[in-house]
Amino acid sequence: MLYRPFSPDLSTIDAAPSLLTRHAERTGYAGPPPAPTMEVLRALQAAHLAAIPFESFDPLMGQAVDTGAEAVDAKLLGPRRRGGYCFEQNGLFLRVLRAAGFVAEPLLGRVRWMMPGDAPPTARTHLVLRVMLDGRAWLVDVGFGATVPPQPLAMDHSRPQPTRHERYRVRRGRRSYRVEAEVMGEWRVLYDVEDSPAPAIDLEVGNWYTSTHPASHFRHMLVAARTTDAARHGLRDNRLTIRHADGAVEQRYLDADAIERALADIFLIDVEPGWRRAIERAATAEVAPA
């Protein structure tokens, strides 16, 4: 499969209303009319996270991920009603925000989630957005799975920022930002984000590595996530975890049929017939504790 160059800003005056309309139809957006305000930014982000799931079935099935605008729109906004990972999700959301009048740019990050502090540097394989509002920079992310920040995060201070789920903080380094979440009373690093806007070629290379490199965990693990106001839902192979906004946590292990039902009912993904063998493999990944 040929890669199309990453093209985050293909919107024009004529195309912008169409993109916003299709995005609103897909997400059920019912907030204020699109305009570059914090109220709209929060509402667009929440609607996107609740409606378009994080998932990586294409790499799992050995298929390259096309981040061209036409391919992403067909996959995430079209009749297939699929989800995607950060290069698709945040690439689409960048175009949506620009079409709504926001000043936004892509930044690349190095994932540090679930890694020890002395782990070697990872590749730049996570895409986030920086949005400018009234002279302030805000980090916006709709593509980091089950621990994705559920609302914009201020980038100009390191104080804890409460959300409807965990607290977050953004710590400034010399040339980067470190994004952390407070999980079960402990601050854990999600990723380090570079300060400079990412050129399109770097986004293309990051997506290529993430979707095709043998070391990419998306090539070997079934992953899905969806965040709503009420709860976070995460599926890692056959382990389903639901973290409610009130702090309650549910976890259970699923067989293949239950995985398919969860993908459809919880993650809103139409399961494709060709996925069955991968789902059956995922169902044997972990065994419920005795």
Side-chain angles (χ1 to χ4, degrees):
M1 177 178 182
L2 295 177
Y3 283 89
R4 299 180 183 179
F6 195 99
S7 49
D9 191 18
L10 296 184
S11 58
T12 65
I13 293 176
D14 292 335
S18 175
L19 175 62
L20 291 175
T21 297
R22 285 180 290 151
H23 186 262
E25 290 174 347
R26 176 70 169 90
T27 63
Y29 176 77
T37 69
M38 178 55 70
E39 183 182 10
V40 169
L41 181 59
R42 285 174 175 260
L44 284 171
Q45 184 176 4
H48 186 109
L49 288 171
I52 305 181
F54 181 96
E55 53 104 335
S56 55
F57 268 98
D58 286 350
L60 184 63
M61 301 305 299
Q63 300 170 0
V65 173
D66 187 343
T67 55
E70 183 178 352
V72 170
D73 290 357
K75 181 179 176 182
L76 273 64
L77 302 182
R80 296 174 67 195
R81 300 180 69 81
R82 285 279 304 278
Y85 64 17
C86 68
F87 290 101
E88 301 163 286
Q89 298 269 13
N90 284 320
L92 168 62
F93 204 58
L94 176 59
R95 290 187 289 114
V96 168
L97 293 181
R98 287 177 170 175
F102 288 92
V103 176
E105 58 190 359
L107 303 178
L108 273 175
R110 303 179 190 273
V111 175
R112 308 298 296 171
W113 179 241
M114 303 299 287
M115 293 183 179
D118 59 354
T122 57
R124 298 183 301 169
T125 58
H126 185 55
L127 172 63
V128 303
L129 309 178
R130 177 162 54 195
V131 179
M132 299 301 299
L133 275 175
D134 300 324
R136 296 186 69 187
W138 297 84
L139 185 142
V140 176
D141 189 352
V142 294
F144 196 67
T147 51
V148 64
Q151 64 192 49
L153 301 178
M155 302 178 71
D156 57 2
H157 66 78
S158 60
R159 297 186 300 276
Q161 302 182 47
T163 74
R164 60 186 180 275
H165 294 290
E166 299 83 6
R167 295 197 302 170
Y168 287 79
R169 65 186 182 191
V170 181
R171 301 169 63 190
R172 180 66 188 266
R174 290 184 59 191
R175 297 187 180 88
S176 64
Y177 299 88
R178 170 155 285 188
V179 181
E180 301 174 332
E182 188 180 33
V183 180
M184 300 180 67
E186 177 184 352
W187 285 102
R188 301 181 184 178
V189 182
L190 273 65
Y191 42 75
D192 293 327
V193 178
E194 295 185 349
D195 189 29
S196 300
I201 186 60
D202 288 349
L203 303 179
E204 186 175 355
V205 170
N207 174 63
W208 172 82
Y209 180 96
T210 305
S211 65
T212 67
H213 196 280
S216 172
H217 71 275
F218 293 129
R219 296 287 310 277
H220 312 287
M221 183 182 298
L222 190 159
V223 179
R226 179 170 165 254
T227 295
T228 68
D229 286 346
R232 292 188 183 278
H233 307 81
L235 182 63
R236 181 184 175 97
D237 279 330
N238 61 332
R239 185 177 66 196
L240 174 67
T241 304
I242 302 175
R243 300 184 182 276
H244 297 271
D246 63 6
V249 178
E250 301 176 50
Q251 190 169 92
R252 56 185 182 270
Y253 295 83
L254 310 180
D255 62 19
D257 290 342
I259 290 174
E260 288 200 359
R261 289 194 298 271
L263 289 171
D265 298 341
I266 297 175
F267 300 98
L268 313 181
I269 299 171
D270 292 334
V271 178
E272 298 182 3
W275 297 351
R276 180 66 188 191
R277 290 185 63 184
I279 290 172
E280 290 176 348
R281 288 196 301 269
T284 66
E286 293 190 44
V287 177

